[in-house]
């Protein structure tokens, strides 16, 4: 088992200590990221874009997620390992249990699913079977075709629905949340209302933890970076130093700054 567990993250939430999360898709980066003191590693389905060159996460398969989770697990030096359930892998309760079980067997400690309150029963079933889940809310990239693009979520009337989703899923037993691209005040409110750790990306400084895609924070992702991304390698002299700088910036509250967040 990882040295960092859900208990660790819950204690950090309770004491107000911020934690950081980075993606990793292979053993070498998993080793570097966990050695640098990052509390959790996410084997994100962003690998479909970052590693495979697709223009969305939709083509990512269970076999690919299993393979990369195994690789990351071998390199991991004690971080909590979260693995993404890919597009359509949790479309029915039965499929969800089988697929989540495969990721746990590959070395995950937690599985992450994109969605809202319709996942309540799924969350209950997974927890009963020993699988803690992280629910990804807000801009959920697997629903890009529903949203009509990668847009900020939870503005205006949608804020109340997002808050209700988070509360109902926390009630159902969700162990963690990721909030992506939601207004800073909404992320602050959700973080206050739910009793489990909330990890933000493009959600402002008030969540319990922060996550970034590793390649984004190293400044090597092609194209214009998203508003919330900061290149930590620009002022560091090595990749491990850049990762440590990210961790320190999150703990000290210097990242994310106001300009990295979204208004209501
Ligand atoms: O796939 C991923 O990397 C993610 C993070 C951006 C939260 O889901
Ligand atoms: Na993802």
């Amino acid at each position: 088992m990882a040295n960092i567990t859900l208990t660790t993250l819950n204690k950090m939430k309770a004491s107000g200590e911020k934690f950081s999360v980075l993606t990793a898709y292979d053993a070498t980066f998993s080793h570097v990221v966990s050695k640098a003191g990052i509390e959790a590693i996410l084997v994100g389905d962003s690998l479909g874009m970052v590693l495979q060159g697709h223009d969305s996460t939709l083509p990512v398969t269970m076999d690919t997620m299993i393979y990369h989770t195994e690789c990351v697990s071998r390199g991991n030096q004690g971080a909590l390992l979260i693995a993404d359930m890919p597009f359509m892998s949790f479309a029915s309760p039965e499929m969800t249990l089988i697929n989540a079980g495969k990721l746990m067997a590959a070395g995950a400690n937690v599985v992450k699913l994109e969605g809202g309150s319709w996942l309540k029963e799924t969350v209950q079933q997974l927890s009963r079977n020993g699988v803690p889940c992280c629910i990804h809310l807000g801009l959920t990239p697997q629903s890009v075709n529903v949203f009509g693009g990668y847009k900020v979520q939870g503005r205006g009337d949608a804020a109340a629905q997002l808050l209700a989703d988070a509360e109902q899923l926390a009630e159902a037993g969700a162990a963690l949340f990721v909030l992506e691209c939601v207004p800073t005040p909404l992320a602050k409110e959700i973080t206050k209302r739910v009793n489990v750790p909330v990890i933000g990306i493009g959600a402002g400084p008030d969540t319990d933890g922060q996550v970034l895609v590793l390649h984004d924070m190293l400044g090597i992702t092609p194209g214009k970076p998203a508003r919330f991304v900061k290149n930590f390698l620009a002022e560091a002299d090595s990749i491990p130093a850049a990762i440590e700088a990210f961790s320190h910036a999150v703990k000290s509250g210097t990242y994310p700054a106001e300009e990295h967040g979204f208004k209501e």
Side-chain angles (χ1 to χ4, degrees):
M1 198 166 79
N3 299 335
I4 306 278
T5 65
L6 286 169
T7 309
T8 319
L9 299 187
N10 279 309
K11 282 185 183 156
M12 291 176 87
K13 178 178 179 109
S15 68
E17 187 186 344
K18 305 276 183 189
F19 62 88
S20 42
V21 184
L22 284 174
T23 64
Y25 315 114
D26 66 38
T28 301
F29 277 119
S30 171
H31 195 275
V32 170
V33 165
S34 52
K35 273 279 186 196
I38 299 298
E39 282 84 358
I41 295 178
L42 172 65
V43 186
D45 63 351
S46 52
L47 64 81
M49 299 165 92
V50 177
L51 300 187
Q52 299 178 318
H54 294 297
D55 63 4
S56 79
T57 58
L58 274 59
V60 177
T61 64
M62 266 308 297
D63 285 347
T64 297
M65 290 310 301
I66 292 166
Y67 170 77
H68 288 282
T69 301
E70 287 171 346
C71 295
V72 167
S73 178
R74 290 183 202 118
N76 183 17
Q77 303 299 299
L80 184 77
L81 205 169
I82 307 168
D84 264 347
M85 299 278 289
F87 183 63
M88 281 296 185
S89 67
F90 49 102
S92 74
E94 200 186 354
M95 273 175 80
T96 310
L97 283 176
I98 292 169
N99 287 328
K102 288 180 181 170
L103 291 178
M104 296 298 280
N109 302 121
V110 176
V111 300
K112 179 161 79 63
L113 299 83
E114 295 183 5
S117 49
W118 65 89
L119 289 172
K120 272 187 295 193
E121 272 166 40
T122 300
V123 168
Q124 280 169 349
Q125 277 205 355
L126 285 169
S127 312
R128 276 187 211 128
N129 284 281
V131 182
C133 36
C134 174
I135 301 290
H136 187 152
L137 297 171
L139 172 49
T140 45
Q142 291 171 17
S143 299
V144 62
N145 291 289
V146 176
F147 296 146
Y150 296 101
K151 299 173 188 168
V152 176
Q153 301 294 313
R155 278 187 164 142
D157 292 347
Q161 181 60 54
L162 233 155
L163 178 58
D165 283 345
E167 286 186 313
Q168 288 173 30
L169 289 160
E171 177 81 6
L176 291 172
F177 288 95
V178 164
L179 293 181
E180 179 165 355
C181 292
V182 301
T184 297
L186 176 61
K188 184 177 184 175
E189 184 63 16
I190 292 174
T191 303
K192 204 170 72 186
R193 293 270 200 107
V194 301
N195 59 356
V196 295
V198 176
I199 303 161
I201 174 164
D206 304 311
T207 54
D208 303 303
Q210 295 290 332
V211 60
L212 283 174
V213 168
L214 180 65
H215 298 59
D216 289 350
M217 60 81 77
L218 296 176
I220 56 171
T221 301
K224 185 173 175 281
R227 177 189 180 87
F228 53 80
V229 170
K230 178 173 171 179
N231 177 352
F232 284 89
L233 190 54
E235 287 163 31
D237 59 12
S238 69
I239 289 174
I243 295 170
E244 282 169 23
F246 167 64
S247 171
H248 291 150
V250 168
K251 285 215 192 294
S252 66
T254 56
Y255 175 83
E258 200 180 318
E259 78 251 27
H260 297 116
F262 298 99
K263 292 199 171 75
E264 274 171 305

